[in-house]
Amino acid sequence: MSHPPFSPAQARAARLRIGLTPEQVVAAMAQLGVHHLAQTVISWETGVAAPSETELFALADALWCSVPELMALQPRSLREHRLARHFTAERLAQRIGMDVHTYARAENDHDWSGTDRQTLFLADALGLEPGELLRVIGRAGELDGILRQAVEGRWKQHTATLARLVGAPERRVAQALRTLHQEYGRFNERYMGHLVARSDHARLKEIATERADWLHALPDRFLHLADAGTRPSP
């Protein structure tokens, strides 16, 4: 596996901020079971070398900072979220009940194949809210597509699918879809009313823009209404 993202400048800044020498850093890492010479820390800070995942975890602990700080990024991918939570691939796979090779393939190929239960355990382990979870596992587009079908047509037939997708009770999903379907219907009623009344083009365009903005925010509004994120206990 390739080295994780790492910022030499952030590592040096974190060390200087708490006033440690490279020797003191490696001494702290040794207490965590990672043994190196001070020169290794210097090589990381100068960009000559980069730490492995295990070394990154130990370095963050030794420097009293978060892993994302040393990676100098806001976690977005599945691997980055895993690293931010100090999980090795093996430990996370075990936590969610997935074969480690299957998990590693999902992470490397950006193609999540976990069961509904494994997906909910993943969200719990990584502390992901439903919207972020769907983005991380590549299903945000799927949610948006199903929601648009639901508000534009027969919403009831999509209830079970959406409940599984976001990990929310079907009853709450049904309530959310009913509300959204009604809201979307009111947009159409307003538009057709102004069309029949032969309102000016500017007013029709204004309503169309409002509807487009509403559709853009549809996934987040749905997740809020459904109170998604009910997770089973491991």
Side-chain angles (χ1 to χ4, degrees), residues 12 41 60 71 84 101 115 117 186 192-193 215:
R12 176 175 170 78
V41 172
M71 293 194 295
H101 298 294
T115 64
R117 189 172 179 81
R186 285 194 288 270
M192 291 305 298
L215 285 170

Side-chain angles (χ1 to χ4, degrees), residues 14-183:
R15 177 175 64 80
L16 294 178
R17 186 167 58 247
I18 58 176
L20 294 183
T21 64
E23 289 77 13
Q24 291 171 321
V25 173
V26 295
M29 292 177 64
Q31 294 179 5
L32 300 170
V34 178
H35 300 274
H36 284 303
L37 299 175
Q39 184 57 43
T40 300
V41 172
I42 295 173
S43 69
W44 291 340
E45 292 184 357
T46 55
V48 173
S52 65
E53 290 187 2
T54 301
E55 292 166 339
L56 179 64
F57 297 155
L59 181 62
D61 285 338
L63 297 177
W64 289 75
C65 67
S66 68
V67 170
E69 182 179 342
L70 293 183
M71 293 194 295
L73 52 76
Q74 183 67 33
R76 294 188 60 82
S77 69
L78 178 55
R79 187 190 187 197
E80 290 166 358
H81 278 285
R82 172 176 63 78
L83 292 171
R85 289 282 174 161
H86 284 224
F87 278 111
T88 62
E90 292 79 5
R91 182 166 162 244
L92 181 57
Q94 182 180 32
R95 173 76 174 266
I96 66 177
M98 178 180 280
D99 173 75
V100 64
H101 298 294
T102 301
Y103 172 81
R105 185 163 55 250
E107 186 176 283
N108 293 333
D109 296 345
H110 305 286
D111 184 15
W112 181 250
S113 60
T115 64
D116 292 343
R117 189 172 179 81
Q118 289 169 337
T119 302
L120 291 175
F121 283 154
L122 178 73
D124 183 68
L126 300 183
L128 297 173
E129 293 301 320
E132 183 63 20
L133 170 66
L134 293 174
R135 283 188 284 273
V136 168
I137 64 175
R139 292 185 183 172
E142 181 181 350
L143 173 64
D144 184 67
I146 296 174
L147 283 174
R148 292 197 180 213
Q149 291 178 42
V151 299
E152 292 173 355
R154 299 179 181 275
W155 61 265
K156 290 183 180 180
Q157 69 188 48
H158 300 287
T159 301
T161 300
L162 287 168
R164 289 194 302 272
L165 185 60
V166 303
E170 285 193 29
R171 177 180 58 82
R172 297 193 69 91
V173 169
Q175 292 172 343
L177 290 179
R178 183 184 296 110
T179 298
L180 294 170
H181 189 267
Q182 292 170 349
E183 290 179 1

